[in-house]
Amino acid sequence: MSTNEIARVGVVGSGTMGAGIAELCATRGLDVRLAVSRESSLTSAPRKIAASLGRRVDKGKLTPAERDAALARITVRTDLAELADRDLIIEAVPEDEQLKLGLLATLDKVAGDDTVLASTTSAIAITRLAAATARPERVIGLHFFNPAPAMRLVEVVPALPTAAEVTERVTAFAEHTLDREAVVVADQSGFVVNALLIPYLLAAIRMVGTGYCPAEDVDRAMELGCAHPMGPLRLADLIGLDVVAAIAAALHEEFKQPLYAAPPSLSRLVEAGHLGRKTGRGFHTY
């Protein structure tokens, strides 16, 4: 099946993940329409993407001409109806099940009959999200990792009703158009990566929360002792502590296992608004 079938991509949400996916798609030559919820994002979202592309130019990974061409491929709109002509729409709104269900129900009414609807959820079952639409056979999980322009993996998650041709089409899109490594995984909370990663992060958070070892020492131990490029507390800060807590809650709800329960120290940081790198403070200060 030709990967050229997906040439027009819609992305809903201009946070870290949504902006990163829009940037990735634009640098791969796709026509990208980014849907945002606030008027202020009409200017702030392109500025964020331009800054990210500029850093890639500074590192020699893109030429100025490639940067400018990528930016020219992105249009930003506030009206979801302007996604009607998209071949693929990727929702990248916060990890809130009710928010995602409502958005997918709206996109279902807006999108063309052949449009594929994809969710970047980290932990919510795709089958549950697909049920919000009248086209569950055309809904799929497309889980990118942060930062999307740099991370090589994409988890492709078919819901139980997802049509085989949709899975094949989206997998080919991820591999050939986006030049990513795609892994097709079963539809269960956390998929593969987060089902393994989150218990590790929570164990490190518990260790720090009990006073057993400071965050700096835990991170240094895992970086030097296990050759991890980033320790677990710095990684949690990078992901966003609110996102880690949301994924943990979804995993605990699905599996009811203690290793998925968020430690109180994580909950307190989230309640205080200390969400990690994006707010300047989490387990470390930035």
Side-chain angles (χ1 to χ4, degrees):
M1 187 169 294
S2 172
T3 58
N4 291 333
E5 288 184 37
I6 295 178
R8 298 182 303 276
V9 175
V11 180
V12 184
S14 60
T16 301
M17 187 56 69
I21 294 169
E23 176 185 334
L24 169 62
C25 290
T27 57
R28 297 298 299 173
L30 298 165
D31 177 344
V32 180
R33 189 155 297 147
L34 181 61
V36 298
S37 58
R38 294 187 297 271
E39 290 287 332
S40 60
S41 297
L42 291 171
T43 53
S44 63
R47 207 159 41 229
K48 180 193 300 185
I49 295 170
S52 176
L53 288 166
R55 289 190 291 272
R56 293 170 69 184
V57 171
D58 293 342
K59 294 176 181 176
K61 295 181 178 179
L62 285 178
T63 67
E66 288 170 333
R67 173 201 59 203
D68 295 344
L71 282 171
R73 296 186 189 107
I74 301 172
T75 55
V76 187
R77 299 288 187 269
T78 56
D79 187 356
L80 290 176
E82 297 211 34
L83 301 178
D85 67 340
R86 303 290 94 179
D87 303 314
L88 169 69
I89 303 174
I90 304 169
E91 73 79 8
V93 299
E95 193 73 0
D96 178 302
E97 185 170 333
Q98 293 307 310
L99 177 62
K100 289 180 183 291
L101 287 170
L103 174 59
L104 285 167
T106 300
L107 292 174
D108 185 42
K109 297 178 177 67
V110 167
D113 292 341
D114 293 330
T115 303
V116 174
L117 302 179
S119 172
T120 60
T121 179
S122 302
I124 302 168
I126 304 301
T127 300
R128 196 152 65 239
L129 295 178
T133 77
R135 63 174 89 199
E137 73 284 353
R138 303 198 68 74
V139 178
I140 197 164
L142 197 56
H143 182 216
F144 293 83
F145 294 82
N146 185 33
M151 296 295 279
R152 297 288 304 156
L153 180 68
V154 176
E155 289 178 317
V156 177
V157 192
L160 285 180
T162 303
E165 66 90 8
V166 169
T167 302
E168 292 167 6
R169 183 181 180 194
V170 170
T171 302
F173 169 74
E175 291 180 339
H176 301 298
T177 303
L178 298 185
D179 189 31
R180 291 300 180 261
E181 296 287 340
V183 177
V184 179
V185 299
D187 183 22
Q188 65 175 27
S189 186
F191 316 131
V192 170
V193 172
N194 281 320
L196 294 171
L197 175 64
I198 295 300
Y200 161 63
L201 299 183
L202 297 180
I205 292 168
R206 288 188 195 97
M207 185 175 284
V208 172
T210 59
Y212 179 80
C213 194
E216 190 66 48
D217 290 346
V218 172
D219 281 341
R220 189 165 68 251
M222 294 307 295
E223 289 163 6
L224 300 179
C226 294
H228 288 191
M230 184 180 295
L233 288 315
R234 290 195 188 282
L235 179 55
D237 279 350
L238 176 64
I239 293 169
L241 300 187
D242 54 335
V243 177
V244 172
I247 298 171
L251 287 163
H252 191 259
E253 174 65 23
E254 176 134 325
F255 299 114
K256 305 295 191 295
Q257 295 179 9
L259 78 165
Y260 295 122
S265 57
L266 174 61
S267 302
R268 295 299 88 78
L269 285 168
V270 173
E271 289 162 358
H274 301 322
L275 307 182
R277 188 178 289 273
K278 61 188 172 185
T279 60
R281 181 177 173 186
F283 287 100
H284 299 279
T285 301
Y286 302 90

